[in-house]
Amino acid sequence: MAFLFGCAAITVITTAGIVLVLGSETIHFFRATGESILEFICGTQLEPEAVPPRFGILPLIWGTMLIAIGSSLIALPIGLLSAIYLSEYAPRKLRAVLKPTLELLAGIPTIVYGYLALLLVTPALKGILEPIGLQVETFNALSACIVVGVMIIPMVSSLSEDVLSAVPRGLREAAYGLGATKFEVSTRIVLPAGLSGVVSSFILAISRAIGETMAVVLAAGLRPQLTFNPLTSIETMTAYIVGVTSGEASAGSPEYLSLFAVGMALFVITLTLNVISGFVLRRYREVYQ
Amino acid sequence: MSVSETVAAAAAPAGPSPGDPSILTTEQLSVWYGTSLALKEITIAIPRNRITAMIGPSGCGKSTLLRCFNRMNDLVAGARMEGRITFDGDDIAAQGVDAVALRRRIGMVFQKPNPFPKSIYQNVAWGARINGYKGDMDDLVEKSLRRAALWDEVKGKLHRSGLELSGGQQQRLCIARTLAVEPEVILMDEPCSALDPISTARVEDLMDDLKADYTIVIVTHNMQQARRVSDMTACMMLDEASNGNTQRTGIVVEFSPTEILFTKPNDPRTEAYITGRIG
Amino acid sequence: MTPAPLSPSYEPERQSRRILGPIFGLACLVATSTGVVVLSILLGAVVAAVIRGSQGGSVLGTLGHLLTSMQSSTPESAGFRAGVVGSLWLLGLVAAFSIPVGIGAAVFLEEYVSAGRIRRIIQLNIANLAGVPSIVYGILGLALFVRAFGYKNLAFGPTLWAGGLTLGLLILPVIVIATQEALRTVPNSLRQAAMALGASRWQVVRDHVLPSALPGILTGVILALSRAIGETAPLLMVGAAGSILRLPKGPSSRYTALPVEIYNYAKEPDPKYQAVAAGGILLLLALLLTMNATAIVIRNRYARSSRG
């Protein structure tokens, strides 16, 4: 009993550990650099090696947003459409094949997607866009958006399909009974009824894209800049953290401490999104369960 | 043109006329789910502007038969039918029939009230809207709700969710929703089984009222209800030839005017069922 | 069918309705098949890269070479031996930590705590932990295990201990959630029957609940472990980044891991290293596939024996 309680307590201690580690080192960071939180979040210059160093992480936040938005543009519609297909259209046998395939995709390590971006996606983008006069850098945001988008499709489709299939059968029958087509039943009865569950899966997928590291490091590069051009290199918060660790920063230096502050920002953003997603999903469950 | 005028104009005069007394007929209709035979060689004729009840022990295929009339079984994977079903003389069991168009003309009310998670107004308007209703929607909603004897209870809260209504009100909302697309036939699958006795009485009164303009086919496990509301009754049974097997095959053992079926049944199995020896 | 006797106020046969439906259905089908297409492109591209790199030699021969060679400054002799061994070490450490703790936590939540505030808090906590980005676990591992906040005597340094514990914490919520789901499928009647015979709660859990939930638990555990095997970012944080030319001797050794080596090779601009990285990915995918297949076999065997 004490052992079992200890096991459960470890999960709580982990959370406490994360908050404590990020919190205390973030405070160290702000003390050591004398920056304000506002300068940190809204500053546009990120030059850890300059004298004095500058830590404005707005370019990182922007890079992260760019990846999140770009990958969502790919993953949300495709994921939702395939969820609708699996739950409303697919014959049972086809579904039995497609669902495990999607699960298999979800289990592929992100490093593989990152490699794919370098090997396949970026050369393809160069091949398509450079003949029409667009310069594509070897590390570019678009390539990262594409692979991260593909990566989170299974998450959107599988979670959305769960909620769409759970929409009571009686609603579908009622709609068909009034002479509705499959399209009308899917988009105007089933989808609205499962909407909060679908939204919840969207938020979770965006949160996942924000926290994604390896695919972004390999595809989008490590150049922090505020740009609207997705064909140039950017840096995300996760990539910055990896960059600092693999660099020369010595423990306790402002640059080293900054990785905790950026980690804190990342943690707060993803946690907020996850909590919102859980809240939305509970609202959905209240209606039907 | 009002709901009642339309259908009355299209319908034959009340009572079995020599011209076309039946609106729906089946000939040698058999239904399979996968490899198991669910209905065997059903031949009945549903009279126009009457209430026809289907009774029988549970699992004998009453609902399956009902769902053949609006091709609702199409939605079940592995369901297949053979034989003929006619609606106004047209074969509707054939392959190329447009089930969507058919279902607008043959409405359905389900066992469990299943309003959409939308407002009361939207519940009624939805079916009409997808069917391209061009008239005044407010009028149609009011007319349908009045016809379903629900208007006075909901007129002040049309924009509240349909799920807030009581079970009996929800079921009448479902009937109103069906009426709003102007069907010719209304199929009712045990519409009162989830309702309390008072709500049941209201729905039964409503059915009697709707009979003038619509043909109603009701599946019920309640023999008293069949006797109270219906003009014709079909008694269905499990085929004895299939007993002992894993499959449960339904057949119609008797189809007679209700009064006769309950007082002087022709078939000994009907008698056994209505006196409580089967089921 | 003859046209329906319909009041003129309805128009169900609209052109838009007839066109839009099938287009939408087609769009859904195309969207769904992207998954299959991506999977095939991915495998095809990786295999093609390996073949290109093997220069006439067989793919299996190339993979064998990669499996037995250490890191190298020439792509021709580079391999993943240190990474594979490191990953297997990590796998063992992660399993030794997270399986007992994860199952213990799930048993505590499902069998010992009645629904209440404590359970709700722990449950919410676990759900949120499952959504924390893996790199944040890496930061935690860096501060806690590698450096121990600067207390040198307590710190593991960049060793297998640090990597294993970090990944162990990372997949802990996954194991807890999967185990809880498996425990919930055990019918309550079984618990009541055992308790009615006078069994203690622990005896009920040990002799009845855990055995019947075991296939589900094992499946969840293996899937969680295969997630740990593929993780890269947290390992970069806790010290698996450096080039390692010796195999680890024990959990206190420095190490590298297969995905980390793949990352290092993939970063190299020389296309010959790209082929080496592709070979590493094939090794990684083969390892994952073996683990997934084991999970399926276990699930099927237990499903059969419990039925018979």
Side-chain angles (χ1 to χ4, degrees), chain C residues 76-261:
Chain C
E76 288 77 14
S77 55
F80 293 95
R81 179 138 179 244
V84 171
V85 173
S87 281
L88 291 178
W89 265 104
L90 285 174
L91 187 62
L93 289 174
V94 169
F97 168 74
S98 62
I99 293 176
V101 174
I103 294 178
V107 168
F108 179 77
L109 288 176
E110 286 299 307
E111 307 290 329
Y112 282 83
V113 199
S114 50
R117 185 182 260 169
I118 295 184
R119 179 164 162 180
R120 227 183 27 249
I121 289 174
I122 301 181
Q123 201 73 67
L124 191 68
N125 172 56
I126 290 174
N128 285 328
L129 271 185
V132 171
S134 61
I135 190 141
V136 172
Y137 282 94
I139 298 177
L140 176 71
L142 173 66
L144 205 61
F145 302 129
V146 179
R147 294 190 193 273
F149 294 104
Y151 296 104
K152 287 224 166 63
N153 300 336
L154 297 173
F156 288 117
T159 61
L160 280 167
W161 281 121
L165 286 173
T166 304
L167 292 183
L169 286 183
L170 170 67
I171 63 163
L172 193 58
V174 185
I175 293 189
V176 176
I177 291 169
T179 306
Q180 280 188 296
E181 270 167 20
L183 291 176
R184 276 183 210 138
T185 61
V186 177
N188 251 331
S189 57
L190 184 68
R191 293 183 183 88
Q192 283 157 3
M195 281 187 188
L197 292 172
S200 72
R201 197 167 269 271
W202 170 241
Q203 286 169 326
V204 174
V205 170
R206 185 193 59 197
D207 296 342
H208 301 283
V209 177
L210 277 182
S212 45
L214 198 61
I217 296 177
L218 276 178
T219 310
V221 162
I222 295 178
L223 292 180
L225 288 178
S226 58
R227 162 128 188 248
I229 280 296
E231 276 297 344
T232 317
L235 291 181
L236 292 179
M237 307 292 303
V238 295
S243 57
I244 298 290
L245 297 171
R246 253 175 298 167
L247 296 182
K249 292 195 183 69
S252 311
S253 301
R254 301 198 56 168
Y255 68 105
T256 185
L258 181 55
V260 174
E261 288 195 311

Side-chain angles (χ1 to χ4, degrees), chain A:
Chain A
M1 176 71 187
F3 168 74
L4 298 178
F5 175 75
C7 295
I10 285 183
T11 64
V12 180
I13 295 171
T14 307
T15 310
I18 291 175
V19 174
L20 202 72
V21 165
L22 294 178
S24 68
E25 301 288 311
T26 303
I27 291 171
H28 278 161
F29 166 75
F30 283 117
R31 283 223 187 104
T33 58
E35 267 199 52
S36 69
I37 294 185
L38 202 67
E39 283 172 288
F40 179 65
I41 293 174
C42 301
T44 55
Q45 277 164 323
L46 184 60
E47 289 158 358
E49 271 128 40
V51 186
R54 293 183 195 212
F55 295 97
I57 63 162
L58 196 61
L60 298 183
I61 297 178
W62 173 248
T64 306
M65 295 293 293
L66 203 61
I67 300 294
I69 294 169
S71 58
S72 302
L73 286 178
I74 295 170
L76 304 191
I78 293 183
L80 178 59
L81 286 180
S82 46
I84 292 175
Y85 185 79
L86 288 173
S87 122
E88 307 300 313
Y89 283 80
R92 214 183 303 165
K93 279 180 188 160
L94 187 58
R95 194 174 161 214
V97 177
L98 288 175
K99 279 213 83 167
T101 310
L102 282 175
E103 276 164 25
L104 207 61
L105 268 178
I108 290 178
T110 64
I111 179 81
V112 178
Y113 286 101
Y115 174 76
L116 204 69
L118 280 182
L119 177 82
L120 213 62
V121 179
T122 302
L125 288 178
K126 283 189 176 177
I128 295 168
L129 296 177
E130 291 196 333
I132 58 171
L134 293 166
Q135 195 59 40
V136 181
E137 294 181 10
T138 304
F139 294 109
N140 64 82
L142 182 58
S143 176
C145 288
I146 291 173
V147 286
V148 173
V150 166
M151 216 169 73
I152 58 177
I153 288 174
M155 185 170 193
V156 177
S157 64
S158 145
L159 292 177
S160 297
E161 200 254 342
D162 286 346
V163 290
L164 294 183
S165 322
V167 168
R169 204 183 142 75
L171 290 186
R172 292 188 179 83
E173 291 192 331
Y176 282 119
L178 290 169
T181 62
K182 188 162 265 192
F183 169 60
E184 287 154 350
V185 174
S186 306
T187 57
R188 296 171 70 171
I189 296 296
V190 178
L191 187 57
L195 192 62
S196 51
V198 169
V199 169
S200 159
S201 83
F202 281 7
I203 299 173
L204 220 53
I206 293 172
S207 160
R208 171 89 191 275
I210 289 175
E212 168 47 32
T213 310
M214 294 323 293
V216 176
V217 169
L218 276 178
L222 299 167
R223 175 144 42 96
Q225 58 170 344
L226 287 164
T227 175
F228 284 96
N229 183 358
L231 301 178
T232 57
S233 174
I234 52 134
E235 185 169 31
T236 65
M237 300 162 80
T238 51
Y240 176 78
I241 295 171
V242 168
V244 171
T245 358
S246 38
E248 303 293 311
S250 61
S253 69
E255 186 181 6
Y256 175 80
L257 289 174
S258 72
L259 85 83
F260 292 93
V262 173
M264 185 70 171
L266 180 67
F267 178 70
V268 169
I269 292 172
T270 52
L271 184 69
T272 308
L273 287 176
N274 294 347
V275 168
I276 293 174
S277 161
F279 179 74
V280 173
L281 187 64
R282 268 194 298 285
R283 288 279 306 275
Y284 163 78
R285 290 214 175 116
E286 271 163 22
V287 178
Y288 289 107
Q289 285 165 11

